Amino acid sequence: MLSLNVSEIVEFLSALLILIGSITAVISAIGLIRFPDVYTRQHASTKSMTLSVLLTMVGAFFFFLALESHISIRLLLGIVFIFLTAPVSGHLIVRAAYRRKIKTADSTLEDELYDVLHKEEEQDRGE
């Protein structure tokens, strides 16, 4: 008969979260290597690396909560900080690359931002 108490279940779930976060980080690293241009590489690094770091930190938070009955404020602040800053920084890096006219990959079909930015430039010249 298998009997698990709550701390063993939470320990298993936290280890599972850390494992999933690690696998996601490896997939993100492969995306950084394989994607053709700065825009798709930034997508891989921002979206999936943020997810992997968050999964790993949530797993560590639950691990410390279950085993030591300790709520780690540092982990909570780290989770909030990563969740808020990683997407913003990724967006700003891609925006700077676009404004510097970094070439997109040859497989890119449509540039939805081109018309928007050039309308702003034409309005700035006309006024």
Side-chain angles (χ1 to χ4, degrees):
M1 180 105 187
L2 181 67
S3 65
L4 295 173
N5 58 15
V6 175
S7 66
E8 290 174 345
I9 293 172
V10 173
E11 182 180 350
F12 173 76
L13 290 176
S14 63
L16 185 66
L17 284 173
I18 292 170
L19 177 68
I20 292 171
S22 301
I23 292 169
T24 308
V26 169
I27 292 170
S28 299
I30 292 170
L32 280 172
I33 294 169
R34 297 288 311 235
F35 283 153
D37 62 355
V38 68
Y39 306 106
T40 54
R41 287 181 184 157
Q42 190 63 32
H43 178 77
S45 68
T46 302
K47 300 272 185 177
S48 50
M49 285 303 274
T50 301
L51 178 65
S52 66
V53 169
L54 289 176
L55 285 172
T56 304
M57 292 180 83
V58 167
F61 176 77
F62 285 138
F63 181 79
F64 288 123
L65 183 64
L67 289 182
E68 298 180 9
S69 299
H70 175 69
I71 296 176
S72 176
I73 300 299
R74 289 181 183 167
L75 279 172
L76 286 177
L77 288 174
I79 290 168
V80 170
F81 182 75
I82 293 294
F83 184 72
L84 292 176
T85 60
V88 173
S89 64
H91 174 74
L92 291 176
I93 290 170
V94 168
R95 184 176 173 178
Y98 188 84
R99 290 189 184 261
R100 295 279 301 175
K101 296 181 175 46
I102 304 294
K103 187 177 181 305
T104 60
D106 294 333
S107 60
T108 303
L109 299 176
E110 186 176 349
D111 184 3
E112 295 177 0
L113 200 54
Y114 182 82
D115 293 333
V116 175
L117 287 179
H118 288 285
K119 282 181 186 178
E120 288 178 2
E121 290 175 3
E122 290 174 6
Q123 289 175 355
D124 289 343
R125 287 184 207 147
E127 293 180 3

